[in-house]
Amino acid sequence: MEAYERRFPTCHLIPMFVDSEVLEETESEDGSIHQVQRRCKLDVDAPRLLKRIAGVDYVYFSQENTLNKRERTLHIESHNETFSNRVIIHELCSYSAHPENDDWTCFEQSASLDIKSFFGFESTVEKMAMKQYASSIKKGKEIIEFYLNQLEEEGISHVPRWTPSLDAPFSSSSSVTTKPVCATPTDATSNDATSQPDNQMENQLGTPDDKLDADYIKRYLGDLTPLQESCLIRLRQWLQESHKGKIPKDEHILRFLRARDFNMEKAREILCQSLTWRKQHQVDYLLETWTSPQVLNDYYTGGWHHHDKEGRPLYILRLGQMDTKGLVRALGEESLLRHVLSINEEGLRRCEENTKVFGRPISCWTCLVDLEGLNMRHLWRPGVKALLRIIEVVEANYPETLGRLLILRAPRVFPVLWTLVSPFIDENTRKKFLIYAGNDYQGPGGLLDYIDKEVIPDFLGGECMCEVPEGGLVPKSLYRTAEELENEDISLWTETIYQSASVFKGAPHEVVIEIIDASSVITWDFDVCKGDVVFHLYHSKRAPQTPRKDPLVGQHSSITTPGGNNVQLIDKSWTLGLDYSMVESPLTCKEGESVQGSHVTRWPGFYILQWKFHTMPGSASTNLPRVDDVLASLQVSSHKCKVMYYTEVIGSEDFRGSMTSLESSHSGFSQLSHATSSSNHSQSSSMISR
């Protein structure tokens, strides 16, 4: 209890815990029961846009603590005051003496979350709440141990237990307080008893010969405590002794130490993994060897642009104007990743250059992301998956390189994208995000606080011409097939999003998906690369037999061609309407079309996606072929079509959550949210882009 009380009225170990005040404090006549009611102020880690929509900057909780000294228990009950009519959060915590060993403490924690409505962002709020709660559970034990260690450093290693006697030690002991106390670092070091840990730290740092030159630190590394300086020296020495290959500069080693709060073991682990990765993929030579394809130069809407007020290199990304799907389809993930890595390598080079120019350490850059134009096309799931993989690689190998991220003109659809990508972004990195909706960036606390007026780009109302490409749709003529993308150089990952298939006259290509839970969502995205096809979706309670590789054996066939696979799953003895049923109306797709769609399943079982060769209907009045039929048959060589497809199954709960925020978006996909909520009928939605 003594350690627990030190968390109040605020706690530097819990950044989101801003403040607290005691509303009521009571104590029983015999002093055995002590109750405190507090009001706590929290700064929740939520997108600024969401806070602005909700109209709040802070969240308030009511907390009631009941300490029973006779029973040796502490019960903590808390609930939210903010948005209590929309969201109900109830948490119970209990500290008690172990029944078999009264020198041990048992801790139990439970919580419930009930979201009634929250401006259409129910899923976003739920995920943030779950994330915050999981984080607090993990950190709770570390915090209580911190204050226990602090008590021991102050010479308090034992607190007398309460007794009913009036002259009990409890009432006169100077080591126990009933008033909330917040311990600061100065409080912990002001006592003479702390001199011993300081001496131990000095011994750990080693001799003066092991220290770096003070001018060097100030000029290139920035402020370092003696312990941080020691960690840097020891990690560098370990690399020199054990690592075979190029040793990174002190600035780079320091980034990994900062990313792991100067935990030597953790920093060494991720640094070694990154060095191995750099060597394996020759990243050190990327700037000299990588040449951006012309499609990137024309349609990738990002580029370097001067520097911010702190001298950090400034990178501008006009994400809302970028055709992410077109770039993925024209270049593949490999080229996009290499381009992003080259941007990061260039950022490191510019940091070194600016350090020399400004005469002070500059180890990170500022990124400005303009979201004007962001829409449902940017939420194309394979594109989002490619983005998440890029984030994963960058987070692992370029830690602490992002000093600040300014997100401007965030539209209503942005919280959905944030929900998808934020779990993959390190917590320390997320704290550097500043999000502005509409023209808020032009007001107080906006862009002028971070960037000089002279370098604000023209497209944001400034006077500086920005050379970042304006983007636009990538022509479909530049799209490449899966086989062409697979023939790239050594890939930094092996997973391929798309699969290719050939469709022949009389031999459709079929894909089976087993659904366990009804109301799951089957999504698809495919391009008709050659010829015209008809797309069907069927359902069967029976599992199709595994296709055989030899097309001449049995009634199922699996043909492998240079243009892709051809798999037939529906048994020729099956009868439509008896053995299987059609759950989607046939969709005729022309050559060059891109089709995205989804189907909310009504029943469990096996769903078969089928691409079938499209036969042009003949004239009813004559047996002679029409001119259009003859021309169409000439365009389709050897009665063969080709499709490139991607499918995915999303659980009903996940799909409902990710689509909740889209109800207000002007897109054909907004109907999917309604479809998911309907359980009586099978719903679907498809979009064709030409």
Side-chain angles (χ1 to χ4, degrees):
M1 182 61 187
E2 175 76 0
Y4 174 80
E5 284 286 0
R6 295 201 170 203
R7 295 172 53 172
F8 302 99
T10 184
C11 177
H12 70 282
L13 297 173
I14 313 176
M16 65 179 291
F17 184 29
V18 179
D19 195 12
S20 67
E21 60 175 326
V22 177
L23 302 179
E24 185 178 354
E25 186 171 3
T26 60
E27 193 172 74
S28 62
E29 292 184 2
D30 62 355
S32 63
I33 298 178
H34 181 212
Q35 290 182 314
V36 180
Q37 186 173 352
R38 294 185 178 89
R39 190 168 188 253
C40 302
K41 181 180 179 182
L42 306 181
D43 184 7
V44 179
D45 181 19
R48 180 174 294 190
L49 175 64
L50 183 57
K51 290 184 178 181
R52 186 170 294 276
I53 293 173
V56 299
D57 289 323
Y58 300 101
V59 175
Y60 291 90
F61 272 73
S62 176
Q63 183 189 75
E64 183 173 335
N65 298 351
T66 302
L67 174 64
N68 190 325
K69 302 171 186 175
R70 185 187 302 274
E71 301 293 334
R72 300 181 67 210
T73 60
L74 170 63
H75 293 287
I76 308 164
E77 184 173 357
S78 59
H79 64 273
N80 62 303
E81 295 180 3
T82 309
F83 301 123
S84 57
N85 61 330
R86 296 179 178 272
V87 180
I88 299 176
I89 302 174
H90 188 231
E91 183 181 47
L92 294 173
C93 298
S94 173
Y95 292 86
S96 60
H98 194 280
E100 298 178 2
N101 187 335
D102 60 3
D103 287 332
W104 292 355
T105 300
C106 296
F107 174 67
E108 295 180 75
Q109 183 176 6
S110 63
S112 63
L113 172 67
D114 183 12
I115 302 179
K116 298 178 180 179
S117 65
F118 203 85
F119 312 103
F121 296 100
E122 289 79 10
S123 174
T124 303
V125 173
E126 181 181 2
K127 291 181 179 179
M128 285 192 303
M130 292 295 293
K131 181 179 176 184
Q132 295 278 2
Y133 187 68
S135 176
S136 67
I137 292 176
K138 181 179 179 181
K139 204 166 186 179
K141 183 171 179 287
E142 299 175 2
I143 294 172
I144 201 74
E145 287 180 342
F146 171 84
Y147 287 121
L148 286 171
N149 293 332
Q150 191 179 79
L151 285 169
E152 291 182 355
E153 290 175 1
E154 296 174 4
I156 303 173
S157 59
H158 175 72
V159 176
R161 296 180 186 176
W162 177 87
T163 61
S165 174
L166 294 178
D167 57 349
F170 177 84
S171 61
S172 60
S173 173
S174 60
S175 63
V176 176
T177 177
T178 59
K179 187 177 181 180
V181 176
C182 174
T184 64
T186 55
D187 294 330
T189 58
S190 60
N191 194 301
D192 292 340
T194 60
S195 59
Q196 183 177 358
D198 288 340
N199 294 333
Q200 290 177 352
M201 181 180 292
E202 290 180 3
N203 293 334
Q204 184 183 13
L205 299 182
T207 65
D209 295 336
D210 296 331
K211 297 183 179 181
L212 298 172
D213 181 74
D215 291 337
Y216 168 76
I217 294 176
K218 182 179 179 180
R219 180 71 171 77
Y220 295 99
L221 304 180
D223 296 331
L224 294 178
T225 66
L227 181 60
Q228 292 172 346
E229 181 184 339
S230 172
C231 289
L232 173 60
I233 293 173
R234 285 185 289 150
L235 183 53
R236 186 179 63 183
Q237 289 176 343
W238 181 86
L239 287 171
Q240 291 172 341
E241 295 171 0
S242 61
H243 186 73
K244 297 180 180 180
K246 186 177 180 181
I247 303 299
K249 298 179 180 179
D250 288 344
E251 300 94 304
H252 200 58
I253 299 175
L254 198 56
R255 290 187 179 100
F256 286 85
L257 283 167
R258 285 173 173 155
R260 290 299 180 266
D261 296 324
F262 286 88
N263 183 306
M264 275 280 297
E265 292 301 319
K266 293 181 179 179
R268 181 170 62 184
E269 179 182 357
I270 61 172
L271 177 56
C272 289
Q273 291 174 353
S274 178
L275 293 176
T276 301
W277 171 83
R278 294 182 69 89
K279 182 178 180 180
Q280 179 182 357
H281 302 293
Q282 299 294 299
V283 179
D284 289 331
Y285 310 103
L286 190 61
L287 290 178
E288 292 78 18
T289 59
W290 166 253
T291 302
S292 299
Q294 189 60 42
V295 66
L296 274 176
N297 298 332
D298 295 337
Y299 296 99
Y300 189 86
T301 55
W304 294 100
H305 180 80
H306 300 283
H307 55 78
D308 67 5
K309 287 187 174 182
E310 299 178 43
R312 296 167 173 168
L314 176 62
Y315 189 83
I316 293 180
L317 180 64
R318 302 184 68 179
L319 184 60
Q321 305 299 317
M322 186 183 297
D323 181 11
T324 52
K325 177 179 179 178
L327 289 174
V328 172
R329 298 297 303 276
L331 296 168
E333 298 175 20
E334 168 70 15
S335 293
L336 275 179
L337 175 61
R338 289 188 179 273
H339 184 64
V340 173
L341 294 182
S342 70
I343 293 172
N344 281 270
E345 291 295 308
E346 174 64 17
L348 296 177
R349 189 194 67 79
R350 287 175 178 257
C351 285
E352 292 184 15
E353 187 177 281
N354 285 18
T355 296
K356 299 176 182 178
V357 172
F358 292 98
R360 61 178 183 271
I362 295 174
S363 61
C364 53
W365 52 83
T366 293
C367 185
L368 187 155
V369 180
D370 180 23
L371 295 184
E372 185 182 48
L374 189 78
N375 55 41
M376 288 301 303
R377 184 178 180 88
H378 294 86
L379 297 181
W380 178 60
R381 293 191 67 84
V384 173
K385 280 196 170 184
L387 173 62
L388 295 180
R389 291 192 182 97
I390 291 175
I391 291 175
E392 184 179 5
V393 173
V394 172
E395 282 279 309
N397 298 284
Y398 300 92
E400 297 297 314
T401 54
L402 181 65
R404 183 179 292 113
L405 181 66
L406 303 170
I407 299 178
L408 309 186
R409 302 196 279 194
R412 293 183 64 88
V413 75
F414 170 72
V416 184
L417 181 62
W418 174 263
T419 301
L420 294 173
V421 304
S422 61
F424 294 84
I425 303 174
D426 180 74
E427 182 179 356
N428 291 331
T429 303
R430 288 199 305 273
K431 293 177 182 178
K432 303 171 184 176
F433 284 33
L434 295 175
I435 304 170
Y436 300 89
N439 293 323
D440 290 350
Y441 69 92
Q442 297 176 346
L447 209 54
L448 285 174
D449 285 11
Y450 307 102
I451 302 175
D452 289 326
K453 181 180 179 181
E454 294 76 18
V455 299
I456 293 180
D458 51 346
F459 63 87
L460 293 176
E463 300 177 356
C464 185
M465 293 298 295
C466 183
E467 298 180 357
V468 174
E470 295 183 359
L473 294 178
V474 177
K476 289 184 178 293
S477 59
L478 299 178
Y479 284 13
R480 301 164 69 190
T481 65
E483 288 75 18
E484 291 172 331
L485 296 176
E486 288 173 359
N487 290 332
E488 294 285 347
D489 295 333
I490 299 175
S491 177
L492 299 188
W493 54 63
T494 58
E495 185 178 352
T496 302
I497 288 182
Y498 284 96
Q499 298 185 55
S500 293
S502 297
V503 179
F504 303 92
K505 190 172 184 178
H509 178 71
E510 295 163 346
V511 175
V512 63
I513 297 175
E514 183 179 6
I515 297 296
I516 305 298
D517 299 322
S519 297
S520 296
V521 182
I522 301 173
T523 65
W524 55 81
D525 179 273
F526 65 89
D527 273 34
V528 184
C529 305
K530 183 179 181 181
D532 300 341
V533 298
V534 181
F535 176 73
H536 295 268
L537 182 63
Y538 299 104
H539 171 264
S540 175
K541 296 181 180 179
R542 299 168 54 185
Q545 296 181 11
T546 303
R548 301 181 183 180
K549 293 298 181 182
D550 186 353
L552 301 178
V553 180
Q555 295 176 313
H556 303 277
S557 67
S558 176
I559 306 172
T560 302
T561 70
N565 293 328
N566 178 270
V567 178
Q568 295 156 50
L569 299 169
I570 298 178
D571 196 306
K572 292 183 179 179
S573 64
W574 283 13
T575 302
L576 182 62
L578 181 62
D579 301 290
Y580 67 109
S581 59
M582 184 183 298
V583 294
E584 285 282 346
S585 300
L587 182 64
T588 301
C589 309
K590 302 291 186 180
E591 181 175 324
E593 288 182 349
S594 296
V595 182
Q596 300 88 36
S598 65
H599 176 85
V600 182
T601 61
R602 184 178 178 184
W603 314 279
F606 299 89
Y607 287 78
I608 302 172
L609 288 73
Q610 182 192 76
W611 291 269
K612 191 175 182 179
F613 186 93
H614 177 56
T615 304
M616 299 294 292
S619 174
S621 59
T622 177
N623 291 328
L624 295 175
R626 298 182 303 168
V627 175
D628 291 345
D629 297 343
V630 175
L631 294 176
S633 64
L634 292 175
Q635 292 175 356
V636 182
S637 174
S638 304
H639 302 290
K640 172 185 173 183
C641 300
K642 185 178 179 182
V643 295
M644 191 161 63
Y645 65 93
Y646 169 84
T647 64
E648 185 177 12
V649 177
I650 310 174
S652 57
E653 302 250 340
D654 294 336
F655 189 82
R656 183 181 293 111
S658 60
M659 288 294 129
T660 300
S661 304
L662 302 182
E663 293 179 357
S664 60
S665 301
H666 300 288
S667 169
F669 278 89
S670 62
Q671 299 299 321
L672 298 182
S673 178
H674 168 74
T676 311
S677 62
S678 173
S679 59
N680 296 326
H681 302 283
S682 174
Q683 301 285 344
S684 66
S685 175
S686 292
M687 287 178 52
I688 301 179
S689 57
R690 294 178 170 85

